[in-house]
Amino acid sequence: MMDPVKLVLVGSFLILASAAAVMAGVLPLDEVAVIAERVWPILVFVVAVTVVAELASIAGVFDVAAGALARLSRGRTIALWLLVVTLATASTAFLSLDTTAVLLTPVVVAVARANGLSPLPFAFATVWLANTASLVLPVSNLTNLLAVHRLGGADAGAFIGLLGPSAAIAVGVTVALLLVVHRRDLRGRFLPAAPPLISDRLQLRIASLVVVVLAPLLVVGVEPWIPATAGAIVLLALFAWRSPRVLRFSLVPWSLLVFAIGLFVAVGALEQVGLRTIAAAMTGTGESPLALWQMSGVGMLTANAVNNLPAYVALEGAADTPRRLAALLIGVNAGPLITPWASLATLLWHQRLTAVGVHVPWRTYVLWGLVAAPLTVAAAVVPLTVR
């Protein structure tokens, strides 16, 4: 199973293997430069938005938001759950799937427990929506940011135009399935708990303002790394002033960075020796409904076999039209609901649950995912087939 430590080891191995490919002449240096030019803004964004999300969480932004939802629900369990679903979708859309899986999960579990409710419906909502709602915006998933490059640098509007209906269906199917699975736990009422205690309200206000201002700036056509970096700088300055002990190197997602760098260069080397031909043979050609389902299905299966990021990078070359690229994104974003390693967000989600004492057997996760993943992916592709 690929935890963050193993990600670093795998990434380091890939970097060394890629260096050997460069020295052997398999991967030309000018191709390495092309890869670097493509991915550096994406990696800067990943670092910046992670820092923003981590510091906002420490300031209590997510705790206050979740507590407000509990009061807004007026003691109705299903209303609270639907509000959490909305928050998870928004968190995934604007702050990425890892933010929802890592930072929002323990918050909603704590809210559920504080109000005497089962944490499982809330925990499964965060992990499933972290994946399926990552189709909403370019900044929702690293795979989307890579795909935007192939769409000619399309802005958020063009991305939503291409994948918006599919994203809506993916989220809708996810919510419907979760309602069926957890229908018994979502009945009844509860007495809302007291609001969470906040130690530094000025810090909370400024962090909340940064998140609120940042969200629209990520979708207005500016390179996402620019507003994300500005937001990270503001929060780093704030915490250096108010809570300097919180600042630590672990705020940066080093494991993901090392893995991503190694993966991008390694796939570049493999493409020089025929990876694109193999991918094309697996995914077929054309934009017929069957061809699009084949593309998304191969993406889903590959993501669950290895991981969604390498699955996307390996199959990207075969997605030679916008609709085929959208089908691939549906497969690798909404499809990783079966195996634990299919998405890094899923592994991090499980770690956070274990840390707060919630036990979810992987067998249960896999069995539900075997139903959810094919249904969600197949339904989400339908809008692409009727254009």
Side-chain angles (χ1 to χ4, degrees), residues 73 128 134-135 139 195 219 231 233 237 280 287 292 337 357 368 383:
S73 70
W128 276 13
S134 70
L135 288 167
V139 296
V219 298
I233 291 172
E287 294 187 337
L292 295 174
L337 301 178
W368 287 354

Side-chain angles (χ1 to χ4, degrees), residues 46-64 95 98-99 102-104 107 198-212 214 228-253 352:
V46 169
V47 171
V49 80
T50 300
V51 170
V52 168
E54 288 278 0
L55 294 179
S57 177
I58 293 170
V61 172
F62 295 120
D63 294 289
V64 169
L95 297 175
D98 291 337
T99 296
V102 175
L103 301 179
L104 190 58
V107 171
I198 301 298
S199 59
D200 191 329
R201 293 205 167 270
L202 176 61
Q203 192 166 259
L204 170 66
R205 292 191 188 100
I206 296 176
S208 300
L209 180 62
V210 168
V211 172
V212 170
L214 177 61
T229 300
I233 291 172
V234 170
L235 288 185
L236 286 170
L238 172 66
F239 276 80
W241 169 40
R242 306 288 290 189
S243 308
R245 293 183 180 179
V246 167
L247 302 180
R248 55 191 187 278
F249 284 108
S250 60
L251 289 173
V252 176
R352 289 302 172 101

